[in-house]
Amino acid sequence: MPLLSGLKPEFAMPLYKIIDHNPTTRILIWNITESFEQLNQEVQLNEKNQLRLNGMKSDMHQRAFLSVRKLLTLADYSDFDLYYDEFGKPHLHSENCHSEFTEVSITHSHHFSAIILSNEPVGIDIEMQRDKIIKIAHKFVKDGELNRLQKRNHTEYIKKLTIKWGVKEAIFKIRNEKGISFKDHINVQPFELNEQQAVANLHFNGLHRQYTIYFSELDTNFTLVYTMEPQSQTPKQ
Ligand SMILES: CC(C)(COP(=O)(O)OP(=O)(O)OC[C@H]1O[C@@H](n2cnc3c(N)ncnc32)[C@H](O)[C@@H]1OP(=O)(O)O)[C@@H](O)C(=O)NCCC(=O)NCCS
């Protein structure tokens, strides 16, 4: 669907990108340039989310939260089509009969926010590439893998660590299960940056799933990662 061509002028600028990944999966990314006041004027929230917004301490968090609603509007949804489960995972109300999609995932990082809409369970993450990821790398990457990665140059090392983190967040967002350890249960197979995709395995509670992961750069130092739940379960290993 040629969404971009149908954009109202006020959407054109902060809408950073739309990726039609396949006929049933769409990613929309917002570059947050508006003030809180502007966004707040343009977005209508349901009662629960209004309370959440009011309780947010940071202006950037509030703007990100509101910008996600701008993205929903672009895809013909509104905040009233969304609800959160007890863990904080967002869902679309199934009774929305105009709905093209059944699943949603949300991310925001600094001046970017994004949603992914699909008919498969989906997870999305945007991360800023930062040196400080090195300090926590041992918490989410196994030692052997970390040793291999450290042999790469500094920039590649940071970018790959950021992708790995994003992969684990995205899979976690799909599964939404207590007890998943990023380090012990999710493994990302070796990949090259120019491949823009990778394979990750989740081994958790007797379940084995293999995910194809898609990654790319936003501006120069933000990483976008998304994935979908595989349609059929691969055999246990
Ligand atoms: C919940 C979590 C996935 C959010 O990720 P994040 O990078 O901090 O923040 P993001 O901006 O990318 O994502 C936030 C969005 O995730 C969604 N989200 C929150 N909890 C979720 C859950 N349990 N499942 C799926 N999605 C969730 C929400 O939509 C939220 O945005 P919103 O509330 O404004 O709508 C993350 O904080 C988390 O708990 N991770 C697992 C903990 C863990 O194991 N950490 C690793 C230790 S090494």
Side-chain angles (χ1 to χ4, degrees):
M1 177 165 101
L3 232 175
L4 271 170
S5 58
L7 286 182
K8 293 179 188 160
E10 69 265 27
F11 284 134
M13 271 289 283
L15 175 68
Y16 181 79
K17 199 188 250 185
I18 295 177
I19 303 169
D20 276 321
H21 177 82
N22 63 35
T24 57
T25 304
R26 175 175 298 153
I27 295 99
L28 299 100
I29 305 164
W30 199 261
N31 180 14
I32 309 161
T33 55
E34 311 93 321
S35 66
F36 168 77
E37 287 72 22
Q38 188 182 344
L39 285 164
N40 199 32
Q41 220 172 38
E42 292 168 359
V43 168
Q44 257 208 314
L45 296 177
N46 69 42
E47 210 180 314
K48 270 192 181 169
N49 285 340
Q50 186 64 55
L51 286 174
R52 250 193 94 189
L53 180 82
N54 296 347
M56 286 174 190
K57 294 201 173 73
S58 122
D59 171 76
M60 195 65 238
H61 189 194
Q62 289 182 315
R63 289 159 69 204
F65 189 80
L66 290 168
S67 71
V68 164
R69 276 67 200 168
K70 297 284 280 184
L71 290 171
L72 286 170
T73 310
L74 270 180
D76 267 346
Y77 292 89
S78 81
D79 189 54
F80 295 85
D81 296 314
L82 199 68
Y83 70 95
Y84 291 88
D85 67 20
E86 60 189 297
F87 305 107
K89 176 171 170 146
H91 299 270
L92 294 170
H93 283 296
S94 53
E95 63 269 23
N96 181 344
C97 54
H98 78 266
S99 176
E100 202 181 331
F101 304 105
T102 55
E103 307 282 341
V104 65
S105 179
I106 294 172
T107 182
H108 27 76
S109 174
H110 300 264
H111 62 94
F112 280 115
S113 64
I115 60 173
I116 182 168
L117 295 158
S118 181
N119 289 333
E120 309 298 331
V122 274
I124 192 166
D125 192 54
I126 294 178
E127 292 291 333
M128 192 183 195
Q129 297 159 11
R130 288 185 286 197
D131 283 1
K132 77 177 193 194
I133 198 167
I134 292 174
K135 288 203 176 129
I136 58 159
H138 65 280
K139 293 189 180 172
F140 67 96
V141 180
K142 286 190 173 152
D143 293 348
E145 200 182 329
L146 208 50
N147 290 340
R148 276 197 303 279
L149 276 180
Q150 278 164 342
K151 293 188 183 117
R152 306 295 183 127
N153 74 50
H154 183 77
T155 308
E156 188 175 341
Y157 184 39
I158 302 290
K159 284 183 193 286
K160 286 193 168 174
L161 281 179
T162 310
I163 291 165
K164 280 177 187 272
W165 176 262
V167 168
K168 294 177 188 220
E169 289 274 23
I171 292 176
F172 178 83
K173 284 181 182 177
I174 291 179
R175 300 300 308 175
N176 189 21
E177 280 170 293
K178 261 195 174 163
I180 292 182
S181 154
F182 281 12
K183 181 168 175 169
D184 299 329
H185 302 136
I186 305 174
N187 175 53
V188 188
Q189 295 179 17
F191 61 91
E192 295 304 326
L193 292 174
N194 61 8
E195 291 168 345
Q196 301 218 312
Q197 68 181 65
V199 172
N201 298 289
L202 170 72
H203 290 271
F204 181 62
N205 263 353
L207 182 82
H208 173 222
R209 294 263 158 112
Q210 190 167 78
Y211 295 82
T212 303
I213 306 294
Y214 302 90
F215 59 84
S216 57
E217 300 229 334
L218 308 178
D219 283 355
T220 45
N221 59 345
F222 285 85
T223 298
L224 167 74
V225 178
Y226 61 89
T227 187
M228 301 104 205
E229 184 76 355
Q231 291 200 334
S232 60
Q233 195 177 333
T234 46
K236 282 180 192 170
Q237 286 180 351

